[in-house]
């Protein structure tokens, strides 16, 4: 069974490589987020050079470089990394998403080619991220302030995916501070974000002075008390990565709890909605949640007994096969892969291409094919 899955993933990756060779060749010198109506990437570096997703294109390029050794991918990935330097000049443009931005660009570059300038960028990003730690609340603040809102008490589930930057910094420097901060944050998220049924909240808020837990808010899912699927996926993957970095069994158990909840709530057609608790109408999907959950489940399967691993792998394969057969655009003249991604329940647009959906889709397939590089 797993051999069949591996062969299927490899043949799917071969199709992706053929398409992406065309896509990258005609999309040089940009940082995509989504496409226009004609299926052509737009340049997010022009629209917002500080946007949290601006590292994912670099991640896709490093994955493709690893698969093919084509130097074009390496050159384009380094260009993305260099463009991100503008973020490092503006403290108000640095936030907890430093992990997403530099983990998949500078740190990936350093991991693959041992480039010293890339290591320096990764360390600057890690030091800034560690500086967001609130000592009394034992959390990393998520976002920066709005003109009319102090957001120093806000924590979100997504941050679990930014912790690997800190684990990497400790490993690289042999200075335990970064890991200590990451573990403290993960423990806080475990205590306050994960519900007893394995679902996760999106946003929680602390008193930033006393550190006291105050409340949870709705966020990008349907609302307070709901179950935003991308948040569930960040939880599966993020707690698995914290387990890998620490070997703390409680993180593994939390990842398993969220995974069980995700699998139990996955619809029979394996098409993932934006929120597991949203009304039946309107029904909008989010392919990013499916792709992130698939990659997280494959990662989680590495750490559990065979019978449980089979459950996680089968769930991941079902998600990926559904994306490949029903939600992937294989036309080589169209830039995106996944077609029905949704950033948020309460936004005007739903079910469109989003770059991090494509990143995790490719990443999950590389893992299933036994071709992965560890970029987290
Ligand atoms: N990290 C933001 C999001 O998942 O939309």
């Amino acid at each position: 069974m797993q051999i069949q899955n591996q062969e299927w993933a490899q043949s799917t990756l071969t199709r992706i490589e053929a398409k992406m060779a065309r896509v990258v060749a005609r999309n040089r010198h940009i940082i995509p987020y989504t496409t226009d109506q004609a299926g052509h990437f737009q340049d997010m570096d022009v629209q917002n050079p500080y946007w949290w997703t601006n590292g994912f294109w670099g991640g896709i390029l490093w994955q493709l470089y690893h698969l093919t050794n084509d130097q074009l991918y390496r050159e384009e990935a380094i260009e993305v990394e260099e463009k991100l330097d503008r973020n490092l000049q503006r403290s108000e443009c640095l936030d907890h998403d430093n992990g997403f931005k530099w983990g998949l660009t500078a740190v990936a570059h350093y991991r693959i080619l041992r480039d010293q300038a890339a290591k320096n960028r990764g360390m600057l990003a890690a030091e800034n991220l560690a500086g967001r730690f609130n000592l009394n609340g034992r959390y990393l603040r998520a976002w920066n302030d709005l003109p009319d809102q102090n957001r120093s008490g806000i924590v979100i589930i997504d941050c679990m995916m930014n912790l690997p930057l800190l684990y990497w910094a400790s490993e690289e420097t042999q200075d335990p501070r970064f890991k200590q901060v990451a573990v403290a944050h993960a423990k806080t998220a475990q205590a306050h974000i994960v519900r007893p049924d394995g679902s996760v909240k999106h946003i929680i808020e602390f008193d930033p002075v006393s550190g006291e837990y105050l409340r949870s808010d709705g966020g990008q899912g349907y609302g307070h008390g709901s179950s935003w699927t991308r948040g569930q996926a960040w939880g599966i993957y993020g707690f698995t990565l914290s387990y890998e970095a620490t070997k703390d069994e409680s993180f593994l158990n939390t990842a398993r709890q969220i995974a069980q909840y995700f699998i139990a709530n996955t619809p029979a057609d394996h098409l993932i909605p934006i929120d597991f608790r949203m009304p039946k109408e309107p029904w909008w999907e989010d392919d990013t949640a499916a792709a992130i959950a698939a990659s997280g489940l494959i990662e989680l399967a590495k750490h559990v007994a065979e019978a449980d691993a089979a459950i996680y792998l089968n769930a991941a394969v079902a998600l990926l096969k559904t994306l490949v057969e029903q939600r992937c655009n294989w036309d080589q003249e169209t830039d995106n892969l996944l077609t029905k991604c949704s950033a948020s329940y309460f936004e005007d647009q739903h079910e469109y291409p989003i770059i991090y959906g494509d990143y995790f889709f490719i990443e999950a397939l590389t893992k299933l094919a036994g071709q992965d590089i560890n970029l987290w």
Side-chain angles (χ1 to χ4, degrees), residues 52 96-97 100 143 156 158 202 220 228 230 234 343 356:
W52 74 275
H96 76 137
D97 286 325
F100 283 125
W143 301 314
I156 66 175
D158 323 29
H202 183 194
Q220 284 159 252
W228 177 49
R230 191 162 64 256
W234 291 143
Y356 48 86

